[in-house]
Amino acid sequence: MAKKPLSPEARSIINSKVSRRAVLAGAGAVAGASALAACGSGGGSSENTIRWGNWPLYLDVDDSGKNYPTLQAFIKDSGIDVNYFEDYNDNDEFFGKVQAQLKLKQDIGYDIVTPTDWMAARWIRLGYTHKFDKANIPNAGNILDTLASPSFDPTREHSMTWQGIMSGFGWNTEKVPGGVRTLDELFAPENKGKIVVLSEMRDTIGVILRSRGVDLQTVTENQYMSAVEFLEQKVSDGWIRGVKGNEYAEDLKSGDAIAVIGWSGDMFILKNDYEGKFDFAIPDSGGTISGDNLMIPYTATAEAKASAEKLINWYYDPAIAAEVAAYVNYVTPVKGAQAEMEKIDPELAASEFIFPTEKTMANLSVFRSLTPAEEGTWTEAFQKASGI
């Protein structure tokens, strides 16, 4: 497929620097997102129609909220229609609604799904995904080296990262002028009672483990449980005021929290919306990076699989990846996207939130996949320690 010049709609999106979560925070945004069902016509899969389930507001969309420039360019260029569904609210919830059909090898209503790393590992482990025909995805070689060989899919035969999410330290620059770059600085005496950490255990415990020099690709149960005990003590002693999901940003805005273990995308929005009042850094000892992954369920037909692979290839074109990154403001997994962004917005091209430097990427690690037994035991231990 030939490259297309940047469309006026895409250029407008990039210039506006709209973020996924900033849009979600807008009045009526969630209702608007729910109404965006598809680019093509409804119905089942066919040779010229594929169905993609993704998270809300995770793809470039124009000001009308009705058109996806990069997806529509793919449809025009390839002749393949795409039904695009913003159907992901939670990994477990999505998996729950398709699990029965997967077990019975029945059509689940999607030809591409977008689970987060740990859930992607489950899909692969259970044999619920097609193996890629890499001949249909020549751009697969553009994946960042740091994302090329995760433990759950070492040769990327079943998954390709859609976007990456960094976790590290966030802080109020007025209350913590020196910043936070180590666990000791996070738990400085003046921060006691005003610290919030993430309810995603792979990120919070991952940051703690990395501060101890533990390799997240080889972490043992003893190492993990020791980190959980550390967290539990900090919660019980009153250092941590909450273990939360996205709502931790509200604690920062209200002043109830001044330092956090948080996500890069959230901190990007706060830093821009509050003119530098907040900042973010990857811990000196290392942070975590996770991703949402493009995968093809094994219930997809051969024709739909081939079409889905062409779609994945499209989004691994650096120019296309840059357009998406400009909208979502998460880490693009595609080599060359930064050079493409330079041509249209040098400011965004310099953003560490979208294009972490090689030095930064080298300091980010993916948490290894867990066995079913570990997933149950480790999650339960984390939730108990966190009080959630």
Side-chain angles (χ1 to χ4, degrees), residues 122-268:
R122 183 187 298 178
W123 282 70
I124 294 170
R125 184 175 68 242
L126 294 173
Y128 288 163
T129 61
H130 273 304
K131 182 177 179 180
F132 294 143
D133 179 353
K134 288 294 184 71
N136 289 331
I137 317 176
N139 286 336
N142 291 337
I143 193 168
L144 293 174
D145 293 341
T146 50
L147 300 175
S149 301
S151 61
F152 63 84
D153 192 13
T155 56
R156 286 290 184 186
E157 292 182 313
H158 299 269
S159 67
M160 292 293 289
T161 303
W162 171 240
Q163 302 293 316
I165 306 168
M166 298 184 292
S167 65
F169 297 131
W171 66 91
N172 182 318
T173 58
E174 296 173 357
K175 302 295 184 181
V176 190
V180 180
R181 289 170 181 80
T182 68
L183 206 63
D184 286 341
E185 290 176 351
L186 178 68
F187 291 109
E190 57 269 27
N191 298 342
K192 187 171 184 178
K194 295 187 176 182
I195 299 168
V196 174
V197 299
L198 293 168
S199 57
E200 172 50 60
M201 67 97 162
R202 289 163 179 80
D203 291 326
T204 290
I205 298 300
V207 167
I208 295 171
L209 287 168
R210 297 217 65 189
S211 74
R212 299 177 170 198
V214 176
D215 183 346
L216 299 187
Q217 288 293 294
T218 59
V219 57
T220 66
E221 182 165 339
N222 285 340
Q223 291 169 330
Y224 175 85
M225 292 302 176
S226 177
V228 168
E229 289 173 7
F230 172 86
L231 174 68
E232 185 172 29
Q233 193 66 51
K234 290 298 184 184
V235 171
S236 63
D237 288 350
W239 285 86
I240 296 173
R241 66 171 284 106
V243 182
K244 301 186 175 183
N246 290 339
E247 66 269 28
Y248 74 89
E250 297 303 317
D251 290 68
L252 282 169
K253 288 190 285 186
S254 69
D256 289 336
I258 61 175
V260 302
I261 293 178
W263 286 310
S264 57
D266 293 328
M267 298 310 301
F268 175 95

